[in-house]
Amino acid sequence: MGTFIGVYLPCMQNILGVILFLRLTWIVGTAGIMESFAIVVMCCTCTMLTAISMSAIATNGVVPAGGSYYMISRSLGPEFGGAVGLCFYLGTTFAGSMYILGTIEILLTYIVPNTAVFVAEKKEDETEAMLNNMRVYGTCCLALMALVVFVGVKYVNKLALVFLACVVLSIMAIYAGVIKTVIEPPNYPICLLGNRSLQNHNFEKCMKTEVIKNVTYTTELWKLFCDSPHLNATCDEYFTLNNLTEIQGIPGLLSGVIKDNMWGEYGPSGMLVEKKNQSSVPVQDNSRDIYKPYIFNDISTFFTLLVGIYFPSVTGIMAGSNRSGDLRDAQRSIPIGTILAIATTSFIYMTCVVLFGACIEGVVLRDKFGNSVNKNLVIGTLAWPSPWVIVIGSFFSCCGAGLQSLTGAPRLLQAIARDGIVPFLQVFGHGKANGEPTWALLMTVGICEIGILIASLDAVAPILSMFFLMCYLFVNLACAVQTLLRTPNWRPRFKFYHWTLSFLGMSLCLSLMFISSWYYALVAMSIAGCIYKYIEYRGAEKEWGDGIRGLSLNAARYALIRLEEVPTHTKNWRPQLLVLLKLDSDLGVKHPRLLSFTTQLKAGKGLTIVSSVLEGTYMTLGAEAKSAEQNVKSAMHLERTKGFCHVVVSSNLRDGFSHLIQSAGLGGMKHNAVLMAWPGGWKQAEDSYPWKNFIETVRETTSAHQALLVAKNIDKFPCNQDRLGEGTIDVWWIVHDGGLLMLLPFLLRQHKVLWHWHHMVLPPFFASFFVFLSSAR
């Protein structure tokens, strides 16, 4: 596929959707043109910057199935990739819920409103009844869509262009309607009582009484506010004191209504929708307004809420990159198609904000469900030739987007599962014989049902905003890290990117997360953090040459250079150990308790280098050295010793240990203390070789101005599994060592094996150890 069919149109279809048709007019009326324009600009800028970063990553190599997950995992490592990939999966799944809820809202509110299963007996129960209807019909719609995806996903892809055509025709109908308002505005009269907008589907005439053949009759509207149809009836006080006026709901582009709609009107749930600058006589008792045909806010409104509700309308920018395997020239098509799609949709959203505010009355804009215009879709009242163009177009658009979400989300989960980085997800990597992700589809339907049970489009939209923003944040981070590190494999064909743009996009994503909903943002970040730590501890080890490893190397190099420049102060001194191990004839560790003692002494802090020496030449013993190193690493893992391992080959043991004492470590990260075991059986040895080696090691350590710790009877030391609830550490101050002998017991007590000694003092248990310390301490 080329750029137009393969990238541009799929992105357009995913970006334009339910929020445009069902909520954009309400957002403009509530926030006003200025603040709505700011919301659109912020969100579109965020996606444009993300698209630039994504284009750089996508043109650096082939992006197979998984799309954004693949890009992030290969750029930032499996931990970040798995965490953000699952967040993106959850976002796509909840997007399916949002599209299905939008489909049902259009169906029940504008197409067949009389098919509701639950009908409220009381006025105050109407909202709950509507939510229950959304749950029932939404669940049925989800089951039907899941069946379609399971049976014939190829038909979903073939119908994608049909659904996109519905969206394009609907948008053209909106622009045509705007042009027509200049010539002849449509006739949608709005009835106002004082400054309050009324639901006009229960009456035809906006008047209290009418005169027919010189006889005054009361109207249907009179009956809604009075206790009887007679002229002497007792009526609502506000109805009595205020006049009825009729205005045009769509006054047109040249009417000047844009001035009244520049700024919005926020308010709590239950607030009346009122016209600005319209006089009215206030009354004292408004307790029974709920039973009158007024129009109310169904939710509390504020700026940050509208940001969270609007943001899903700009998501969908990954649709092109997800199809990279089907593109003729992916590295050319993805940047051009994605950026053009975002530019086109941003233009549509920005012009719609201005045109809605310039053509439609504020009370109609704030009327979310079109109760003041005969239960018509508000955006449909502006369309030409008929509101049904928008209703039918938006219905099929939401259906198509829901099917696309239910098609894409299982494949994303399958791609994560097949990578094998999250063990408990492996079952979702399997599917039908043709590769269709059956188990992943069932999982997706289950999560999607959670969104359906929430039943409110306004409540689900901020949830998926969090997950999409999290994904976009890490796409920008991945691009910035790769650019700053200048890794040799970072050679994107897309050249119009810069790390400052990526950081700006990342900052904007993070800001939008907390602007939309700070508690949802914290929940999303906690979910991503938990997944990250799970993969870090339990996930399969993968080496993908990611940027985090390169970042760690750069940070380590910088830190080592800084350490080299500044001499160590006494306050920062701590034992940095070089552990000299002996190996047996099978190249295993002879005294593993020496590693236990190292763990207890270090408690995971500071530098530890575990080393040993093989006697011979490296050419003949190279393989044995590698094998010995693996054995030492295994012993360190068993004893939970955190550090580095190094096995060298030397012509004799004395020279090997001498070389290690002189050269182990790097730069400022060098050892200042040597730990070794007391030589065993030196009295029974036939030659003096063992104790001479030991004495030479002591002398060379002193010459190197390093501390030497010699553990005697090391095999009797406690292991890491012991919990010593009583005992003492005896300190025998033999030489003036600068305080090291006092420091060692303190360090030992930090480990969980020995911490009980804060309270218990009983006879000594410890086998003795000697400490030799140079004057340099």
Side-chain angles (χ1 to χ4, degrees), residues 117-322:
V117 177
F118 296 91
V119 179
E121 297 180 359
K122 298 179 180 179
K123 189 80 172 177
E124 53 266 30
D125 296 334
E126 285 183 355
T127 302
E128 187 62 33
M130 182 61 182
L131 292 178
N132 288 330
N133 286 318
M134 297 283 281
R135 292 182 181 109
V136 172
Y137 279 92
T139 302
C140 296
C141 184
L142 174 62
L144 183 62
M145 286 186 176
L147 184 63
V148 171
V149 172
F150 178 77
V151 173
V153 69
K154 58 182 179 181
Y155 300 113
V156 175
N157 294 327
K158 288 181 179 179
L159 289 172
L161 288 178
V162 177
F163 296 136
L164 178 62
C166 294
V167 177
V168 173
L169 288 174
S170 300
I171 292 172
M172 291 174 63
I174 294 168
Y175 283 111
V178 171
I179 296 171
K180 187 177 180 296
T181 61
V182 178
I183 305 166
E184 182 186 357
N187 182 34
Y188 283 100
I190 306 300
C191 190
L192 298 177
L193 177 59
N195 64 348
R196 298 178 181 179
S197 180
L198 299 179
Q199 302 177 18
N200 64 358
H201 51 271
N202 290 324
F203 59 89
E204 294 181 359
K205 297 177 181 179
C206 184
M207 54 180 66
K208 297 180 181 180
T209 59
E210 59 179 336
V211 179
I212 301 175
K213 296 181 181 181
N214 296 325
V215 179
T216 302
Y217 295 94
T218 58
T219 61
E220 293 174 338
L221 187 57
W222 176 282
K223 300 172 186 177
L224 297 175
F225 286 91
C226 302
D227 57 4
S228 75
H230 305 295
L231 291 171
N232 59 354
T234 303
C235 296
D236 179 75
E237 184 182 3
Y238 189 86
F239 179 77
T240 305
L241 296 176
N242 289 276
N243 295 322
L244 287 165
T245 54
E246 192 173 69
I247 61 172
Q248 280 299 325
I250 317 293
L253 194 61
L254 304 180
S255 63
V257 73
I258 189 172
K259 296 178 183 177
D260 296 331
N261 293 331
M262 292 302 289
W263 302 103
E265 187 175 349
Y266 301 109
S269 175
M271 186 186 80
L272 290 164
V273 174
E274 300 175 340
K275 179 173 171 55
K276 299 176 185 177
N277 305 322
Q278 181 83 10
S279 61
S280 67
V281 179
V283 296
Q284 297 297 322
D285 183 19
N286 295 322
S287 59
R288 297 185 62 80
D289 283 347
I290 188 173
Y291 295 100
K292 304 297 185 295
Y294 297 128
I295 299 171
F296 302 91
N297 276 0
D298 61 329
I299 59 172
S300 298
T301 55
F302 41 90
F303 179 79
T304 58
L305 173 77
L306 299 186
V307 174
I309 292 174
Y310 173 77
F311 187 81
S313 65
V314 296
T315 59
I317 62 174
M318 305 280 187
S321 64
N322 291 344

Side-chain angles (χ1 to χ4, degrees), residues 403-445:
L403 286 170
Q404 290 288 345
S405 296
L406 290 178
T407 304
R411 281 159 177 74
L412 177 58
L413 181 60
Q414 186 182 49
I416 298 172
R418 285 182 172 175
D419 263 347
I421 59 173
V422 186
F424 69 84
L425 291 180
Q426 289 183 356
V427 66
F428 300 112
H430 307 295
K432 292 192 291 187
N434 59 355
E436 291 299 317
T438 308
W439 293 108
L441 177 61
L442 292 175
M443 181 68 177
T444 302
V445 170

Side-chain angles (χ1 to χ4, degrees), residues 1-8 10 319-335:
M1 293 188 292
T3 302
F4 186 74
I5 297 294
V7 181
Y8 181 76
S321 64
N322 291 344
R323 301 183 178 200
S324 60
D326 301 325
L327 298 175
R328 188 181 306 116
D329 185 359
Q331 295 193 344
R332 179 179 178 274
S333 296
I334 289 175

